[in-house]
Amino acid sequence: MENNIIKTKTSNKNNISSEETSTEEDKKDGNSSNDINFVTSPTPTEVKGFLPPPLTNNHRISSVIRKNSYVEQSTDNCPNAQPTDEHILPKTQRFFLMLRKEPKKLITQLLRRCCSIAFLFPLLLVTIVIVTVLIVWLINFLSTSSFVDEMSFALSEEVTLKIKEKSRNLISMPPRITNLLKDFHNISYSLSDIPNAGRTYSWKLFTIFPEVSSITLANETNEMLVFERYPNKTVVEWERDQDDPYLKIYQIDPRTAERRHDWGPVLEVEYYGKSRRWYIECKEAVSDYWTGVYFFATDVLGITRCTTIPSSTTGEILGVATADLSLQTLNSFLNALSVAKTGTSFILERSGYLIATSNKNANEVVGRRIYAPNATDPIIRDVSSYLFDKYNNFHNVNVTSEDILVGGGSYFVGVSYFYVHKNIDWLIVVVIPKNDFLEGVQRGYIVVACLTVFMIILSIILSSILSYCITKPLYKLRGQMKKITKLNLDDLTTNKKKTSYLFELQTIELTFISMVYALQSFKKYVPDVVIKRSMRKNEVAELYLVERELSIFFMDFVEFTRLTEELQPIRLIELISEAMEEMSVIIEDEGGVIDKYIGDAIMALFNAPYDLPDFEIKACMAALRCIKTLDKLGVNWIKRGLPTMKCRIGINSGKALVGNFGSTKRLSYTAIGHNVNLGARLEPLCKYYETNSLISQSTYEKAKEKCCCKFIDVVVVKGTTEDIAIYEILEERTKANIEQIEIENITNELLFALKKNDWEETMRLVLKAMKVAGFENNKALEIILERCKKFEEKKDEFVGILSFHEKSF
């Protein structure tokens, strides 16, 4: 079959490709016959002799040959097609199968899934939470870092000031002692000459300044007086006369300053003051002098202040007064000094050797100085090494405050110097681990991290719930939209339960229900299959016609005009509505599409817009079922006090133009053409021949295998010049009785006699047919018999074809 299309668009449109094949829902909604098969439509040919109605210049119709009819070229989605193995595999196997065969398609589907509210809404909320937390954390981190730097610097300055103050206080004591001794003692006389006054004064000074570990007086005659404290708090006195070669050592009672004889025998050692280094260097300096840091005889690290004692008359250096200062006091002070939680402070010489530290074990190596870069304390070792490497040596180190990373940790290092004498040029270093300040902050970070995780989980839960509240109605709406595309509208309006409490979604639902009601109303005016096609094609209905083979079905109720006069309007509506409902259901159940209701008449199309196998048989079966159903309804109507109704049906099959016809603003899906007019002429002939149905010969040739039909006559209807044979449908072939089969055979012979204009054979066959039971008074046979009798009387030329010049009778 060749299809021709007349279309109203001159420009090509790239319409979205959509499925043209029918689904199971299509069968239920539009074509409920299980025999419907959607096949590929034939190629088109040019339509000749057809001119559409004239339009304005802006809407000129151009004839365009369409390659496809309503029928989809592919039958992949055909309802009768068997599912492939890929459609019944589990989801996991299908995933890996698509990953192997169609990765691009799989990625596209995954991206489409990701572009959904159910995914994007929680993702957006979680992202907002994370970004907010990160911003807050960053601001807090920056402010905390600045705060820590400020706190570290302030603490370093405070600790440094305390260390300097303590060091200054300690360093100030020895000069005061030596100056007092210088002013008091006259070394020109022998110390033994003033044993009481000199010893008493020195002892008082010794007791006034407990931080001083020893006081010494020595002269050129090797006379010496020494008071010394031991680490175990023992106090001893060293004394030597100029005539005694030995230095006598006595233990002193700290309370009374008396020499204790229970300590043991008096120790005598060879010790000469003026041969000691401090004596020589101080005498050479001819002024006050500080020694460097060294170990005392008691293995205590310290420094010594030396002052020369000149003669009051000659100015000659007579002796030296010294005061030893133990640095153990400074070490204890640093141990007691709090530097944050785990901070460290230490003092070192420019040579790099440690003087004092806050670590109790870092400077307790007896008899040996500790070089700071080799210290056992990792912080002292790493920080001093860093300073040495940065400034090449400790002599170049200046006052500095900086953050450093050593030993896997971050530290704030404050360096300051303490200068009194060339031998007292020290560096004070304060090291503060930033973790001491950040420990609380880090605990806060842990709390914030836990709260962040909790907020993320909570936001995921809440957003999932909220997105579910949003997407559930949307998914339901999507499912309902899919039903709309199949025009399954009945169950959409029955369920009016609210699916969402959100105002916007409720508004959408109400609008959707209104649209469904509108579509339900619209569906009653236009065939379902036409609406479905427009939905699938995603295009607006336009003027076009397709030439295709179809059966045109016309049905009219007998004497309906009389019933309108006899019945009240309500009773008439009740009667005709019930009849129309039953007839429509039968036609649609057989695969027909109701074109229109014309008053009390019905026009239906079989094999349009979709291909319908054996559509001629389907049309005849629909006619038989309508006739029988009206007979059954008549019994019920009589019981209800209503009149019975009969129908007349005309069916013709052939090529016709099918599609949207009308104007650009108002269209109607219908069929036009000669075969449509012929079908319309057959229905009124039923009244003339007193039959319930008449079908054309083209319909009969296709339906005779399934339907038992009786030949009626050969006629030429009004508006045509071609003669056609018409038949009455008696019964289904499998249900036909002997008389119906017999009358079918006789009337088929009668057709050949009429074609040959053989009136004698025609009369014989008519008389033979009238002897068949049930057909004795058959109106159609009587009409042919009457024509034969007229010819027999007048002897004119016998014409077997009956021409009609009226549309109705």
Side-chain angles (χ1 to χ4, degrees):
M1 177 174 54
E2 296 180 347
N3 295 351
N4 299 332
I5 297 177
I6 297 177
K7 200 172 180 182
T8 59
K9 290 201 173 182
T10 59
S11 60
N12 295 328
K13 291 173 61 179
N14 295 325
N15 292 327
I16 300 175
S17 174
S18 60
E19 293 182 356
E20 291 283 346
T21 56
S22 178
T23 60
E24 291 294 339
E25 288 78 8
D26 295 336
K27 290 184 178 182
K28 294 178 183 178
D29 298 336
N31 302 325
S32 52
S33 174
N34 294 329
D35 296 332
I36 298 178
N37 187 20
F38 301 94
V39 298
T40 305
S41 63
T43 57
T45 59
E46 184 180 1
V47 179
K48 296 182 179 180
F50 175 80
L51 291 176
L55 299 175
T56 62
N57 293 332
N58 295 330
H59 301 88
R60 294 184 181 275
I61 300 177
S62 60
S63 299
V64 181
I65 298 177
R66 179 180 291 217
K67 293 184 179 180
N68 297 324
S69 66
Y70 286 96
V71 187
E72 179 68 23
Q73 296 293 334
S74 172
T75 60
D76 292 339
N77 295 326
C78 178
N80 296 327
Q82 295 296 325
T84 61
D85 294 338
E86 296 182 6
H87 292 88
I88 60 178
L89 289 174
K91 290 184 177 180
T92 305
Q93 295 185 18
R94 277 204 310 249
F95 174 82
F96 288 106
L97 185 63
M98 289 185 64
L99 183 62
R100 181 168 55 88
K101 290 186 176 181
E102 300 176 302
K104 292 184 179 180
K105 183 177 179 182
L106 178 62
I107 293 174
T108 302
Q109 290 184 0
L110 291 176
L111 290 176
R112 289 181 61 188
R113 289 293 180 91
C114 292
C115 295
S116 63
I117 295 177
F119 178 80
L120 292 179
F121 190 78
L123 179 63
L124 178 61
L125 191 56
V126 170
T127 303
I128 292 175
V129 171
I130 294 175
V131 171
T132 303
V133 171
L134 288 177
I135 292 174
V136 172
W137 179 86
L138 181 61
I139 295 174
N140 185 42
F141 175 78
L142 294 176
S143 60
T144 302
S145 299
S146 177
F147 172 76
V148 168
D149 291 340
E150 293 176 359
M151 288 293 294
S152 300
F153 179 78
L155 181 59
S156 174
E157 289 292 317
E158 180 182 354
V159 171
T160 301
L161 289 176
K162 289 181 179 181
I163 295 174
K164 285 186 176 182
E165 183 179 359
K166 183 64 175 179
S167 301
R168 192 176 296 109
N169 291 335
L170 291 175
I171 296 297
S172 66
M173 293 179 186
R176 292 168 63 186
I177 294 174
T178 58
N179 290 333
L180 288 172
L181 290 174
K182 174 183 176 181
D183 295 338
F184 180 77
H185 289 286
N186 186 354
I187 306 302
S188 62
Y189 298 97
S190 173
L191 292 177
S192 60
D193 293 338
I194 50 171
N196 295 324
R199 183 174 179 274
T200 303
Y201 187 77
S202 298
W203 175 254
K204 288 183 178 179
L205 292 177
F206 185 71
T207 56
I208 291 172
F209 298 98
E211 291 84 0
V212 175
S213 61
S214 68
I215 295 176
T216 304
L217 286 173
N219 61 12
E220 290 293 319
T221 61
N222 286 327
E223 293 178 320
M224 288 185 64
L225 176 64
V226 179
F227 288 104
E228 184 176 10
R229 291 185 181 91
Y230 280 15
N232 58 2
K233 297 184 180 180
T234 301
V235 180
V236 297
E237 177 184 357
W238 297 17
E239 185 180 38
R240 178 181 179 149
D241 296 333
Q242 61 181 352
D243 297 330
D244 193 349
Y246 296 100
L247 180 66
K248 297 176 182 170
I249 302 177
Y250 305 94
Q251 185 178 9
I252 303 299
D253 187 347
R255 292 173 296 178
T256 61
E258 296 179 357
R259 296 173 179 174
R260 296 178 58 181
H261 299 284
D262 58 349
W263 186 53
V266 177
L267 298 179
E268 295 181 354
V269 296
E270 292 186 7
Y271 185 87
Y272 301 98
K274 70 176 187 177
S275 63
R276 306 305 294 178
R277 181 179 177 182
W278 49 268
Y279 190 95
I280 297 172
E281 291 181 353
C282 182
K283 188 176 178 181
E284 291 177 354
V286 194
S287 62
D288 296 338
Y289 175 78
W290 283 96
T291 66
V293 179
Y294 67 99
F295 279 105
F296 296 154
T298 56
D299 290 332
V300 175
L301 200 63
I303 56 176
T304 300
R305 166 73 175 193
C306 304
T307 301
T308 58
I309 302 177
S311 173
S312 59
T313 57
T314 64
E316 179 184 0
I317 301 299
L318 301 179
V320 175
T322 68
D324 292 343
L325 179 64
S326 172
L327 296 181
Q328 185 65 34
T329 304
L330 189 58
N331 208 61
S332 300
F333 174 77
L334 294 184
N335 290 335
L337 185 62
S338 175
V339 182
K341 186 176 182 181
T342 60
T344 301
S345 59
F346 59 94
I347 304 172
L348 71 159
E349 295 180 296
R350 291 286 183 175
S351 60
Y353 287 95
L354 288 175
I355 297 174
T357 71
S358 59
N359 190 333
K360 295 181 180 180
N361 300 321
N363 200 29
E364 291 185 355
V365 180
V366 178
R368 183 174 64 88
R369 299 291 304 279
I370 297 177
Y371 188 59
N374 297 330
T376 56
D377 189 308
I379 296 179
I380 297 175
R381 181 181 62 246
D382 295 338
V383 172
S384 58
S385 298
Y386 170 82
L387 295 174
F388 183 83
D389 294 337
K390 182 177 180 180
Y391 296 98
N392 294 327
N393 56 62
F394 292 105
H395 294 281
N396 298 327
V397 177
N398 297 317
V399 177
T400 181
S401 298
E402 56 183 298
D403 295 331
I404 65 173
L405 292 173
V406 293
S410 178
Y411 300 90
F412 178 86
V413 177
V415 181
S416 182
Y417 65 88
F418 179 75
Y419 183 85
V420 177
H421 184 266
K422 66 177 181 178
N423 291 330
I424 304 180
D425 187 6
W426 300 342
L427 292 176
I428 300 175
V429 182
V430 179
V431 182
I432 304 174
K434 287 197 171 183
N435 286 337
D436 290 356
F437 294 102
L438 294 176
E439 184 176 359
V441 177
Q442 289 174 347
R443 287 197 298 267
Y445 286 160
I446 295 174
V447 174
V448 171
C450 294
L451 290 176
T452 301
V453 173
F454 173 76
M455 289 299 296
I456 290 174
I457 295 174
L458 182 64
S459 62
I460 291 175
I461 295 174
L462 294 179
S463 61
S464 299
I465 295 174
L466 185 57
S467 63
Y468 174 77
C469 295
I470 296 174
T471 56
K472 181 184 177 182
L474 294 180
Y475 282 132
K476 180 182 178 182
L477 185 62
R478 182 185 67 176
Q480 292 174 340
M481 287 291 187
K482 289 183 178 180
K483 290 183 179 181
I484 286 181
T485 60
K486 300 177 177 63
L487 293 184
N488 298 334
L489 306 178
D490 295 335
D491 57 340
L492 296 182
T493 53
T494 55
N495 184 14
K496 298 182 180 180
K497 183 179 178 181
K498 293 182 179 179
T499 58
S500 176
Y501 294 96
L502 299 177
F503 173 76
E504 293 79 3
L505 293 178
Q506 288 183 1
T507 304
I508 293 175
E509 286 182 328
L510 293 175
T511 305
F512 177 78
I513 292 175
S514 300
M515 182 186 69
V516 172
Y517 283 130
L519 283 175
Q520 281 184 325
S521 301
F522 180 68
K523 177 183 174 183
K524 295 179 180 180
Y525 290 96
V526 182
D528 293 356
V529 290
V530 178
I531 303 175
K532 290 179 182 179
R533 179 187 178 277
S534 296
M535 288 182 174
R536 288 201 183 99
K537 296 293 287 184
N538 291 326
E539 62 182 15
V540 179
E542 56 186 20
L543 177 62
Y544 69 91
L545 295 171
V546 180
E547 186 182 58
R548 61 186 293 121
E549 291 281 350
L550 71 158
S551 292
I552 302 94
F553 179 102
F554 285 92
M555 187 190 76
D556 193 11
F557 292 103
V558 178
E559 297 183 351
F560 180 76
T561 303
R562 178 181 61 81
L563 293 176
T564 59
E565 297 176 355
E566 295 177 357
L567 293 177
Q568 294 181 356
I570 296 178
R571 304 284 282 177
L572 179 64
I573 292 173
E574 180 183 356
L575 181 66
I576 193 63
S577 298
E578 187 174 352
M580 285 288 192
E581 178 69 21
E582 293 295 331
M583 300 302 102
S584 300
V585 170
I586 293 172
I587 292 171
E588 292 178 349
D589 187 52
E590 291 294 339
V593 175
I594 297 177
D595 183 339
K596 60 176 69 70
Y597 296 100
I598 312 170
D600 61 321
I602 299 176
M603 176 181 174
L605 307 176
F606 289 81
N607 200 43
Y610 298 114
D611 282 355
L612 179 66
D614 302 325
F615 58 89
E616 297 91 348
I617 299 174
K618 299 287 185 182
C620 294
M621 291 297 180
L624 279 175
R625 288 180 61 187
C626 288
I627 294 169
K628 293 178 181 180
T629 300
L630 278 179
D631 293 338
K632 294 179 182 179
L633 289 175
V635 177
N636 187 27
W637 287 338
I638 292 174
K639 293 180 181 179
R640 291 156 54 189
L642 294 174
T644 60
M645 293 178 63
K646 299 292 182 181
C647 67
R648 293 190 290 261
I649 299 173
I651 302 174
N652 181 41
S653 300
K655 291 183 179 182
L657 295 173
V658 186
N660 295 332
F661 188 72
S663 65
T664 55
K665 294 184 179 180
R666 184 73 178 270
L667 296 173
S668 174
Y669 182 80
T670 187
I672 59 175
H674 167 70
N675 287 308
V676 178
N677 295 333
L678 182 57
R681 298 293 185 268
L682 292 181
E683 182 270 319
L685 285 180
C686 294
K687 181 179 181 180
Y688 179 75
Y689 289 103
E690 296 183 1
T691 61
N692 290 325
S693 63
L694 286 177
I695 63 175
S696 64
Q697 187 171 1
S698 60
T699 304
Y700 171 74
E701 292 297 334
K702 297 291 184 179
K704 62 183 179 181
E705 294 182 1
K706 298 291 182 178
C707 299
C708 180
C709 301
K710 171 182 172 294
F711 168 72
I712 298 298
D713 204 347
V714 179
V715 299
V716 177
V717 299
K718 178 178 175 57
T720 64
T721 58
E722 180 183 0
D723 58 280
I724 60 169
I726 56 177
Y727 297 80
E728 179 186 8
I729 307 171
L730 299 178
E731 185 57 273
E732 294 183 41
R733 179 69 64 186
T734 57
K735 298 180 181 180
N737 54 35
I738 298 176
E739 290 80 7
Q740 291 172 336
I741 295 175
E742 183 181 0
I743 197 66
E744 180 184 23
N745 294 332
I746 295 173
T747 54
N748 283 339
E749 294 178 8
L750 179 61
L751 171 62
F752 292 107
L754 287 174
K755 288 285 187 178
K756 294 187 293 184
N757 292 328
D758 187 348
W759 69 274
E760 292 179 350
E761 180 66 13
T762 299
M763 182 176 288
R764 184 186 69 81
L765 291 172
V766 170
L767 293 174
K768 181 180 178 181
M770 295 180 72
K771 293 178 182 181
V772 178
F775 296 93
E776 297 87 353
N777 300 317
N778 186 268
K779 179 65 173 178
L781 294 175
E782 290 177 355
I783 291 173
I784 297 176
L785 181 61
E786 185 180 353
R787 291 211 307 270
C788 292
K789 288 180 179 180
K790 287 182 179 181
F791 172 74
E792 185 179 10
E793 293 175 0
K794 297 182 180 180
K795 299 297 181 181
D796 293 334
E797 181 180 359
F798 179 76
V799 179
I801 301 173
L802 182 60
S803 298
F804 292 91
H805 302 286
E806 300 293 336
K807 292 184 179 181
S808 59
F809 302 91

